[in-house]
Amino acid sequence: MASRLKNLSDFSNTEIPSAAPYRFGIVTAEWNAEITNALYQGAYDSLVEHGASEDHIHSYPVPGSFELIAGADVLLNNIANLDAVICLGCVIQGETRHFDFICNAVANGLANVALKHNKPVIFGVLTTDNQQQAIDRAGGKHGNKGVEGAVTAIKMAHLAKSIKI
Ligand SMILES: Nc1c(NC[C@H](O)[C@H](O)[C@H](O)CO)[nH]c(=O)[nH]c1=O
Ligand SMILES: CC(=O)[C@@H](O)COP(=O)(O)O
């Protein structure tokens, strides 16, 4: 298994551009808040660590991961000059197939929002079998999906700027 032996948030062997020129949105689901709060802190701290201005990070909560779709769309429609939106959530398998519907809808919905706005919309949603897998990926042994989302947002914002020039 890919994540069995490594920290998925280890970017020590990759070059990460400065985040200073860019404006970011962060939408965070409130379901499984003890997990998503850790994802958010990882994302926020990573953006600042790489040079983003705190005034250029626009953070909003939504009820659940399904609402990340509308949340990302609202931010891109109403906050000027966003370079990327990071969407953070944690969907944990329950007794029914609801998990499957939420996960598929969120992945497809966020991709559609990105295409609609021609802006990077980062899928920072944990989709786990159980709570422990989520803990392991929200600052545990397998890293922090929020950190991964922030680095991805910085790289994609830099890419867009590079191509436009
Ligand atoms: N079970 C989880 C949910 N379910 C709620 C949905 O995301 C959505 O808010 C509801 O269906 C109303 O539209 N959300 C999560 O983020 N994580 C879960 O484990
Ligand atoms: C992903 C979900 O919506 C899930 O956690 C809800 O649990 P259940 O499938 O038992 O209703």
Side-chain angles (χ1 to χ4, degrees), residues 29-32 63-67 89-93 98 102 106:
E30 294 172 321
W31 257 77
N32 299 311
S65 290
F66 188 81
E67 284 72 40
C90 177
V91 188
I92 300 176
Q93 177 64 66
H98 195 228
I102 296 292
V106 174

Side-chain angles (χ1 to χ4, degrees), residues 5-78:
L5 300 176
K6 67 179 182 181
N7 179 332
L8 299 171
S9 305
D10 180 3
F11 294 100
S12 56
N13 64 343
T14 60
E15 184 176 338
I16 302 172
S18 168
Y22 309 117
R23 299 169 187 267
F24 301 94
I26 306 180
V27 194
T28 305
E30 294 172 321
W31 257 77
N32 299 311
E34 70 285 357
I35 299 295
T36 61
N37 288 341
L39 298 180
Y40 172 77
Q41 203 58 58
Y44 185 91
D45 291 348
S46 185
L47 290 176
V48 173
E49 176 189 325
H50 288 97
S53 162
E54 295 186 11
D55 291 340
H56 291 170
I57 302 173
H58 306 272
S59 304
Y60 294 90
V62 293
S65 290
F66 188 81
E67 284 72 40
L68 290 171
I69 303 165
D73 193 46
V74 165
L75 262 65
L76 287 164
N77 279 330
N78 293 282

